[in-house]
Amino acid sequence: MVKENLLEVEARICEACKKSGRERSQIKLIAVSKTKPVSMIEEAYAAGIRDFGENKPQEMKEKHDVLPEDINWHMIGHLQRNKVKYVVGRAAMIHSVESFRLAEAIDQEAEKKGIVMPILVEVNVAEEESKFGITVSQCPDFVETIAKLQHISIQGLMTIAPFVENAEDNRKYFAKLRKLSVDIQAKNIDNVNMCNLSMGMTGDYQVAIEEGATMVRVGTGIFGNRHYNL
């Protein structure tokens, strides 16, 4: 099932690229493996996937420690400061940085481990109360502030768009994030490179690609509905 689903997702990514005049190589597919067993991740791995997204630090740690070393793990869920130690050094990127204290905790842990941690800033473009992330208006100043930390590398923005029946309803949010990234890039801030836009999930990733996503986070579309009895 996983292999067949991946073929379908791949076809849709290619279709969105063609529609928007983009190259397939510009898009990274992140298979969201939260709550999924190692066996399903191995299926996706066998089909060529090397980027996986996890929501919970402890779960990511456990999977990281038993699966192949060439997997790139992406922390895409809300990250608490006391869990940073599980993620820094294991994740290829943290997508969900939305407070100075979290950025500072990541910076300190990365310094301890002698690395620079790639991060994305999470923006709550739709300003939904149920979601984490800073607002569009707060973002430029926030980026400028955390860019002074020496053991993180700011590599773009991330958003979780509203859950909608019609993917077109989220186009405006994806377009807004893209514009924000362009505006921030134009400021030429040291330690800031707006090269990544992590946006789009199973229900709307094609629209996100058309609006400039470089990373799409697809879970249900690859692994089927979630199971919580790990």
Side-chain angles (χ1 to χ4, degrees):
M1 179 192 81
V2 170
K3 189 176 179 181
E4 289 77 6
N5 288 349
L6 276 167
L7 289 171
E8 173 69 21
V9 171
E10 186 59 38
R12 288 174 181 238
I13 290 173
C14 290
E15 186 186 334
C17 286
K18 190 176 177 184
K19 192 173 173 185
S20 53
R22 301 181 67 194
E23 297 292 325
R24 171 63 183 90
S25 58
Q26 294 175 290
I27 318 297
K28 181 170 284 185
L29 172 60
I30 298 172
V32 179
S33 49
K34 62 181 182 181
T35 78
K36 297 300 176 186
V38 165
S39 59
M40 290 187 91
I41 298 173
E42 287 171 335
E43 272 187 79
Y45 181 90
I49 298 295
R50 293 296 179 271
D51 289 271
F52 292 89
E54 288 288 332
N55 267 44
K56 295 184 176 174
Q58 191 73 38
E59 189 179 337
M60 194 200 79
K61 175 190 181 297
E62 287 165 9
K63 290 174 177 175
H64 169 280
D65 293 354
V66 299
L67 283 156
E69 287 181 10
D70 63 339
I71 286 177
N72 300 311
W73 294 98
H74 298 259
M75 176 47 57
I76 59 176
H78 178 61
L79 182 57
Q80 295 172 304
R81 297 194 309 280
N82 64 346
K83 301 285 176 61
V84 162
K85 61 190 175 190
Y86 298 126
V87 175
V88 173
R90 287 188 176 89
M93 181 174 279
I94 298 171
H95 291 229
S96 47
V97 177
E98 38 79 43
S99 75
F100 180 76
R101 291 177 75 193
L102 175 59
E104 194 175 41
I106 293 167
D107 179 72
Q108 288 166 358
E109 189 64 31
E111 183 176 13
K112 275 188 217 168
K113 289 180 176 162
I115 60 172
V116 174
M117 187 71 227
I119 67 156
L120 303 180
V121 171
E122 182 172 1
V123 185
N124 186 351
V125 182
E127 297 191 19
E128 291 183 280
E129 284 186 20
S130 60
K131 300 251 175 78
F132 291 100
I134 59 170
T135 64
V136 169
S137 59
Q138 290 170 331
C139 194
D141 287 348
F142 177 71
V143 167
E144 212 154 342
T145 300
I146 66 170
K148 296 180 176 74
L149 298 169
Q150 294 181 358
H151 296 274
I152 62 171
S153 170
I154 302 167
Q155 298 191 359
L157 306 175
M158 179 270 242
T159 197
I160 300 172
F163 180 78
V164 290
E165 291 294 322
N166 181 0
E168 284 295 329
D169 293 344
N170 280 336
R171 189 179 291 276
K172 61 190 174 191
Y173 301 122
F174 298 142
K176 202 168 183 180
L177 194 74
R178 170 80 189 273
K179 181 183 184 303
L180 178 63
S181 77
V182 170
D183 291 347
I184 292 172
Q185 187 66 36
K187 291 175 177 283
N188 290 317
I189 306 163
D190 284 347
N191 192 27
V192 175
N193 184 355
M194 289 284 123
C195 54
N196 284 301
L197 280 179
S198 172
M199 59 187 193
M201 293 159 65
T202 293
D204 55 19
Y205 63 88
Q206 287 178 278
V207 172
I209 289 168
E210 290 167 22
E211 292 300 331
T214 65
M215 295 175 161
V216 292
R217 310 179 305 271
V218 181
T220 307
I222 294 170
F223 296 110
N225 291 326
R226 293 180 208 155
H227 298 293
Y228 288 97
N229 54 337
L230 269 181

